Amino acid sequence: MADRVVTGALSGDPIGPAPTGGRVAVAIGAHRMVLRPAVAIAAIYIAARIITTVFLLVGAEIASRATGTAATIGSLSMRWDGQWYWVVGTAGYPSDLPLDAAGNVTQNAWAFMPLYPALSRALSVILGGQYPLAAIIVALVAGYLACLVLFHLLRAGIGDRAALWGVAFVAAGPLAALFQMGYAESLFLLWLFLALLVVVRRRFAWLYLLLPLLGFTRPGILAFALMLGAYGIVRWARRRVDPLPTIDIVHIVCAGALAVVLGFAWQMIAGWVTGDPQAYLETELSWRRGWTGDDEGGFVPFQGFVQASAIWFRIWGLPEWGGYVALAVLVAAFAAALLFDPRVRRLGIEIRLWSASYALYLLLVFFPQSSIFRLLLPLAPLAGALAVPRRTAWRVAVLAVCVLLQWCWIDQMLVQGTTFTQIP
C-alpha cells in the first residue's frame, strides 16, 4: 500500500493501483523536466560568474598598479555599499543620528535594510566570523536562485529557449558583478521574481510571506504595491473574459495594503529607535547633498530627477533645459515600449505593470546619479524582450554587448571609482 501511495503521488495520478511501467516513465520524465532548467541555469550562471571573476581579477591588478595599494577581488566586491552592509551586519544601527556642523543628518546605516546583512552575519558565524565571505556567498546563491525563478517567469510568454537567453543577458549583463558583491541586489531580485511569479500563477497567498522579505531587503516595496493596484484594476476591467473570483479580489487588496504598510515600516522603525520621525528620509537625503549642497530642503516627489537632469547637463557643458527635454523623451520612449512593443507585450501584463510601477517609483523618490544603473536592475525581466528575435546572431551580439558593458561598469565603478560621483 505504501508503494502505491508513493508511486501514485510521484506520477501525479490519483492514488490507486500501482502504476504501470508507462506511468513510472512519465514520473521519471517529469522529474527530468524539473531538473533540466535548474542544470541549464546553473551552467549559464557559472559561466557568467567566471567571466565576472576574470574581470574582477584584471580590475584588481589595474587598481593595484594605479594606487600602489594591493587590491583584490574581495576588496572590490566589498566596496561602497558593501561596507555599509558590513557595518549593519556587525554593529547594527545607530540610536543617535550623526550630524554635521550645520546640524544636517549625515550618511549612516539607516539607509540600508536589515535582512541581507542579517543573513550574511548568521552565515559568517558558521564561517568563523568572515563576514565578507559570507556576504558574497549569500549574494551568489541568491543570484542563482533569482536567475532560476526568472527563467520560469519568462518562459510562459517567450518560450524556453528565449527565456534561457534572457537569463544569460541578466547573469552576464552590465550589472552582473552585483551577483558576487556584498550588496543586497541579488537577494532582492530573488524575492521580487518569486512575488511576480506567484502573481502570474495567481497563487496570491504566497505574497504574505514574500512581501515582508521584499520589504526588508532594500527599498522598492511601494512600487510593488502600486503594481498590485494596477493589476487589480486590469483584472477588474477584464473580468468578463478573465473571471475574477472574490478570493482573488481579497488577496489583491490585502496584499496591496500589506505592501503599503511595509513600505513605510522601516521609516517608522528608524524614527522610533532614533527619536526622530524623519530619520530615514533625512538619512536618504544626506546622499544628495554632495550634489545639491546644504540648502537641500525636505523630500519633494519628482524633484530628484528634475534637479539631477539639470545638474548632469550642466556638468556636461550643455544647457540645463536639455536635461528636462531628455528626461521627457526617455520617459515617453519607455512608456511607448511597455504599451506598444510586441516583444515587450509578450512578457505578460504582470511584468509590464511591474516595470511601469517601478519606473514611476524611481521618478518619484530617486535622485539619479552614478548608482542609477544599479537601481534599474529590478527591471531585469525586460531583458526577455531582447531574446525574442530568434536569430542566433542577434542573441549572440546582445550577449557580447552585455559582457562588454559589464567590464565598463566594473572599470568605472569599482576600479576607477574613487569619489561620490562613481558610486555603483
Side-chain angles (χ1 to χ4, degrees):
M1 180 65 177
D3 291 339
R4 289 201 298 272
V5 170
V6 172
T7 52
L10 288 175
S11 65
D13 293 329
I15 297 172
T20 65
R23 291 181 181 176
V24 172
V26 169
I28 295 173
H31 283 286
R32 286 178 178 172
M33 289 299 293
V34 170
L35 289 175
R36 283 174 187 169
V39 173
I41 298 302
I44 291 171
Y45 191 72
I46 291 171
R49 300 288 60 78
I50 291 173
I51 293 172
T52 301
T53 301
V54 171
F55 284 165
L56 290 174
L57 281 170
V58 174
E61 180 64 23
I62 295 173
S64 297
R65 292 178 179 178
T67 63
T69 303
T72 64
I73 291 181
S75 64
L76 293 183
S77 297
M78 290 301 296
R79 291 202 67 192
W80 301 108
D81 288 3
Q83 295 288 310
W84 281 111
Y85 282 115
W86 194 349
V87 168
V88 173
T90 55
Y93 297 93
S95 56
D96 296 315
L97 294 173
L99 305 175
D100 61 17
N104 296 313
V105 175
T106 60
Q107 298 173 6
N108 65 85
W110 282 109
F112 303 90
M113 304 295 186
L115 183 56
Y116 170 71
L119 291 176
S120 301
R121 174 60 184 274
L123 180 59
S124 73
V125 174
I126 301 173
L127 299 176
Q130 295 294 320
Y131 178 90
L133 177 59
I136 294 171
I137 290 175
V138 171
L140 277 168
V141 173
Y144 164 69
L145 295 175
C147 287
L148 182 58
V149 178
L150 178 61
F151 169 78
H152 290 286
L153 185 61
L154 294 175
R155 69 189 304 189
I158 63 177
D160 287 6
R161 186 177 296 275
L164 285 173
W165 278 98
V167 170
F169 297 160
V170 174
L175 301 166
L178 291 167
F179 290 124
Q180 54 196 84
M181 291 180 63
Y183 276 58
E185 262 63 26
S186 57
L187 188 64
F188 182 82
L189 290 183
L190 173 58
W191 309 138
L192 171 64
F193 296 162
L194 281 170
L196 287 173
L197 186 62
V198 299
V199 172
V200 169
R201 296 182 175 179
R202 300 183 180 180
R203 298 176 181 177
F204 301 107
W206 284 101
L207 289 175
Y208 304 116
L209 170 63
L210 292 169
L211 291 180
L213 298 174
L214 191 68
F216 288 105
T217 299
R218 64 174 299 279
I221 186 89
L222 287 175
F224 202 87
L226 180 60
M227 186 277 287
L228 284 175
Y231 174 79
I233 293 172
V234 170
R235 288 287 308 278
W236 178 261
R238 295 178 175 178
R239 66 190 184 279
R240 287 188 173 86
V241 295
D242 182 10
L244 180 60
T246 301
I247 188 62
D248 283 7
I249 297 175
V250 172
H251 279 313
I252 293 169
V253 172
C254 291
L258 175 61
V260 171
V261 171
L262 289 167
F264 293 98
W266 190 241
Q267 296 182 38
M268 297 175 64
I269 293 170
W272 177 69
V273 173
T274 63
D276 182 354
Q278 299 299 313
Y280 177 74
L281 283 178
E282 289 298 321
T283 296
E284 288 287 1
L285 290 174
S286 68
W287 263 266
R288 293 189 188 185
R289 292 194 181 100
W291 297 83
T292 61
D294 293 336
D295 59 345
E296 173 73 26
F299 169 73
V300 178
F302 295 110
Q303 184 184 56
F305 262 85
V306 174
Q307 284 182 321
S309 299
I311 290 173
W312 278 109
F313 268 64
R314 188 164 63 245
I315 291 174
W316 295 331
L318 299 172
E320 293 186 3
W321 59 264
Y324 307 138
V325 173
L327 177 61
V329 169
L330 286 174
V331 171
F334 185 76
L338 292 180
L339 287 171
F340 305 116
D341 191 307
R343 295 165 299 180
V344 176
R345 292 175 65 89
R346 283 187 58 179
L347 299 177
I349 189 64
E350 295 84 2
I351 290 176
R352 292 163 61 208
L353 288 176
W354 161 252
S355 301
S357 300
Y358 186 70
L360 179 58
Y361 167 78
L362 288 183
L363 287 171
L364 279 167
V365 306
F366 187 61
F367 181 92
Q369 46 191 286
S370 54
S371 59
I372 183 63
F373 302 106
R374 174 173 59 87
L375 271 292
L376 293 176
L377 188 56
L379 295 176
L382 292 177
L386 295 174
V388 170
R390 295 185 177 182
R391 296 186 301 276
T392 301
W394 163 262
R395 290 168 171 172
V396 171
V398 171
L399 183 59
V401 171
C402 287
V403 172
L404 176 61
L405 291 176
Q406 181 186 165
W407 165 250
C408 293
W409 189 88
I410 291 172
D411 177 58
Q412 292 296 311
M413 302 298 176
L414 302 182
V415 178
Q416 299 186 39
T418 57
T419 72
F420 70 93
T421 61
Q422 294 171 293
I423 298 174

